[in-house]
Amino acid sequence: MLTGIVFLGSITFLLGILGIFAAPFGVTASIVHMFIASGLSLYALAGFCLYRNLTRLRSALQISLANQQELSTAHTSDPLTGLLTRSAFLRATDGALACWRDGGSAAAVFLMDLDRFKAVNDTHGHAAGDRVLAEVGKRFAQLAKDATAVGRLGSDEFAILAQGGAWGDAESFRRRMQEWLSSPIEIPNGSIEVSASVGLAISERKDINAEALLRAADVALYRDKRIARSKARGLAVWIDEEVEYRQALQTDFHRALDAGEIVPYYQPLIALDDDRLIGFEVLARWDHPTRGIIAPADFIPLAEEVGRIGELFDKLLVRACHDARVWPSDLRLSVNISPTQFAEPQMAARILDILARENFAPARLELEITENALVDEVSAARLILTTLRNVGVSVALDDFGTGYSSLRHLSDLPVDRLKIDRDFVERARLNDEGWRIVRAIMQLATTFDLATTAEGIEAPEILATLRELGCDIGQGYLFGRPISAAETGIWLRERAAPIALAS
């Protein structure tokens, strides 16, 4: 269109110019002026159209640039928290590692994972969960204002990249982080307190890349979660040798599970009112051919990670039921269930099938579950535990008071017994505050008509006080350490009468 207007204006203007020279031939001045004016008008129209098109083009270009910027930002910035995305954080880490190889400061990656965040979504809804994530991201950004980069790598996983001494002392950083997180986060129907596990990896090999450094931090995070389970919480700083050890252990675990190297050990459970042996807790032990005895804290999380925890549980239960055939028929077994097993819909059916095949009465079995298991799989836990309890299996809530405590669990779920964690029993030896906690748990159990078991009894004076408080069952080195099936058989044969301990 613009080309046509220019062409028409040019022809009209040209005719006006020619009209000037055609005056001797009868062309009037008015006609000439008309042609020239028309040509100039058409030029003006063409100029207007050109200006309008340029304006539109500039506007379209600005919109395009804005869209590109928005798209670029979307690829580098998490829309919920404003922190770097995983890919952008990895690029920043690769940049920091390149500077380190050129003689700069070492790079460190802190990897943080919110504890029990799934319970927030399940209990309060995803809108509340998003608000928690946004606030946590804001706090991490403020905490690490001197860091090279801060990113949100996954649903509830955050990372901080620091260089030189910016990370400071690792343990002090963990404490500062927990302090920053400890303030309640407001949500529409109340407030939530959060905590996080932390893993740290520091560049030490020149050939390491961002993915490998982040993987090492993830291994350290895994260890921190495992340490938290064993109550010896601290920042885990893993180096490459430990990463390789875990990879080798994973390979060995598959072989060991198939070969039957992981076997049950048994620790006595004693009725505190009359010192009567009522049964044993089943504790897994891995007798590695070259590494010796490997503690459960090393291989149970590994079994969960590789998806074989259910198979391990089944093998241990079969073996324990088989061992118990030669024991007095009134002795029962107490077996731990991993939180991840509640995601298996057939778990109850498998347990009942094992009991039937081994001719082991359901009333002789007690299942120990942790509070974390109830938090992560509340509905599944209720269904599975109710099914098992209806046929006589009893349920104990292990490590009570150390995890995500909720009175709702005690009233809504089929629990028969509370286990007082060994940390509280050990603390009671040191100060009165420990005893106040133990008494509070005992009173709570009485209120809900639940029995109690105290773990970690190692001193006669602790035993005497627990008896006075009315604790039902005791467990600990004072009664006996975990021992193999063969040793348990010998121990039972040598035990001619009920054990008698000074009170």
Side-chain angles (χ1 to χ4, degrees), residues 57-312:
L57 181 61
R58 184 166 53 250
S59 177
L61 181 60
Q62 290 174 344
I63 293 174
S64 177
L65 290 174
N67 289 339
Q68 291 179 17
Q69 180 65 30
E70 183 178 350
L71 184 61
S72 176
T73 302
H75 284 297
T76 61
S77 179
D78 173 55
L80 182 61
T81 63
L83 304 178
L84 294 180
T85 61
R86 182 184 184 89
S87 59
F89 185 86
L90 287 173
R91 288 195 297 271
T93 304
D94 274 327
L97 290 173
C99 292
W100 170 60
R101 294 188 197 98
D102 291 337
S105 301
V109 169
F110 287 93
L111 191 63
M112 289 81 66
D113 184 81
L114 299 186
D115 299 328
R116 299 180 297 278
F117 179 72
K118 183 178 183 296
V120 176
N121 281 332
D122 290 346
T123 305
H124 303 283
H126 288 275
D130 287 348
R131 179 169 296 189
V132 170
L133 291 174
E135 177 61 25
V136 168
K138 178 181 177 181
R139 294 183 184 184
F140 278 146
Q142 294 172 339
L143 172 65
K145 58 184 178 181
D146 295 329
T148 304
V150 183
R152 180 189 175 206
L153 308 189
S155 173
D156 60 342
E157 190 175 63
F158 297 82
I160 295 175
L161 169 65
Q163 291 178 272
W167 61 80
D169 175 71
E171 178 61 23
S172 65
F173 173 84
R174 185 190 70 81
R175 286 196 299 268
R176 292 201 313 273
M177 182 202 69
Q178 297 294 11
E179 289 173 0
W180 278 72
L181 290 179
S182 62
S183 299
I185 297 174
E186 297 299 324
I187 60 174
N189 56 344
S191 62
I192 294 176
E193 294 184 5
V194 296
S195 61
S197 300
V198 190
L200 168 63
I202 303 174
S203 59
E204 294 182 349
R205 288 187 346 211
K206 294 294 184 181
D207 61 342
I208 196 170
N209 58 22
E211 286 283 3
L213 190 63
L214 194 60
R215 189 161 54 247
D218 188 52
V219 172
L221 175 65
Y222 163 90
R223 178 174 172 83
D224 192 45
K225 286 182 175 292
R226 190 190 72 188
I227 290 174
R229 288 192 183 104
S230 63
K231 320 302 178 304
R233 190 174 180 87
L235 186 67
V237 181
W238 273 33
I239 57 176
D240 295 325
E241 288 79 2
E242 291 174 305
V243 176
E244 294 170 1
Y245 166 77
R246 181 166 173 262
Q247 292 173 341
L249 198 66
Q250 180 173 319
T251 300
D252 288 348
F253 172 78
H254 291 292
R255 176 195 54 76
L257 185 58
D258 296 333
E261 290 180 8
I262 303 176
V263 297
Y265 271 45
Y266 303 98
Q267 186 172 34
L269 298 170
I270 305 297
L272 298 188
D273 58 348
D274 58 5
D275 291 333
R276 176 172 44 90
L277 174 69
I278 65 167
F280 297 92
E281 180 175 359
V282 180
L283 302 166
R285 293 292 185 270
W286 180 1
D287 190 3
H288 194 283
T290 59
R291 304 180 191 273
I293 297 295
I294 298 177
D298 284 322
F299 65 84
I300 294 298
L302 186 61
E304 294 173 341
E305 182 180 347
V306 300
R308 300 191 71 180
I309 187 65
E311 184 179 353
L312 174 60

Side-chain angles (χ1 to χ4, degrees), residues 350-362:
R350 289 207 322 275
I351 292 175
L352 295 178
D353 181 63
I354 291 172
L355 297 180
R357 285 190 283 110
E358 296 297 325
N359 194 27
F360 193 86

Side-chain angles (χ1 to χ4, degrees), residues 169 416 423 436:
D169 175 71
D416 301 284
D423 273 4
R436 285 197 292 270

Side-chain angles (χ1 to χ4, degrees), residues 247-431:
Q247 292 173 341
L249 198 66
Q250 180 173 319
T251 300
D252 288 348
F253 172 78
H254 291 292
R255 176 195 54 76
L257 185 58
D258 296 333
E261 290 180 8
I262 303 176
V263 297
Y265 271 45
Y266 303 98
Q267 186 172 34
L269 298 170
I270 305 297
L272 298 188
D273 58 348
D274 58 5
D275 291 333
R276 176 172 44 90
L277 174 69
I278 65 167
F280 297 92
E281 180 175 359
V282 180
L283 302 166
R285 293 292 185 270
W286 180 1
D287 190 3
H288 194 283
T290 59
R291 304 180 191 273
I293 297 295
I294 298 177
D298 284 322
F299 65 84
I300 294 298
L302 186 61
E304 294 173 341
E305 182 180 347
V306 300
R308 300 191 71 180
I309 187 65
E311 184 179 353
L312 174 60
F313 173 87
D314 291 351
K315 287 178 179 290
L316 290 173
L317 181 58
V318 168
R319 182 74 174 267
C321 290
H322 180 80
D323 292 340
R325 286 179 180 177
V326 297
W327 301 345
S329 59
D330 61 334
L331 297 183
R332 71 187 190 199
L333 297 175
S334 186
V335 187
N336 290 276
I337 286 185
S338 164
T340 60
Q341 288 181 258
F342 286 101
E344 304 173 17
Q346 300 302 317
M347 188 184 81
R350 289 207 322 275
I351 292 175
L352 295 178
D353 181 63
I354 291 172
L355 297 180
R357 285 190 283 110
E358 296 297 325
N359 194 27
F360 193 86
R364 295 180 64 190
L365 178 65
E366 179 179 74
L367 298 177
E368 295 187 13
I369 60 176
T370 63
E371 291 180 278
N372 288 343
L374 297 178
V375 169
D376 293 337
E377 300 290 347
V378 175
S379 298
R382 181 185 297 109
L383 178 61
I384 290 172
L385 295 178
T386 300
T387 300
L388 293 170
R389 200 162 177 260
N390 285 342
V391 298
V393 176
S394 58
V395 179
L397 187 55
D398 197 12
D399 299 342
F400 184 76
T402 64
Y404 192 92
S405 301
S406 173
L407 297 180
R408 181 172 59 86
H409 296 155
L410 301 183
S411 59
D412 291 353
L413 292 166
V415 176
D416 301 284
R417 179 183 307 276
L418 297 184
K419 294 199 71 174
I420 305 171
D421 186 72
R422 66 180 68 252
D423 273 4
F424 296 141
V425 175
E426 177 62 27
R427 196 179 304 171
R429 297 181 59 183
L430 305 176
N431 52 56

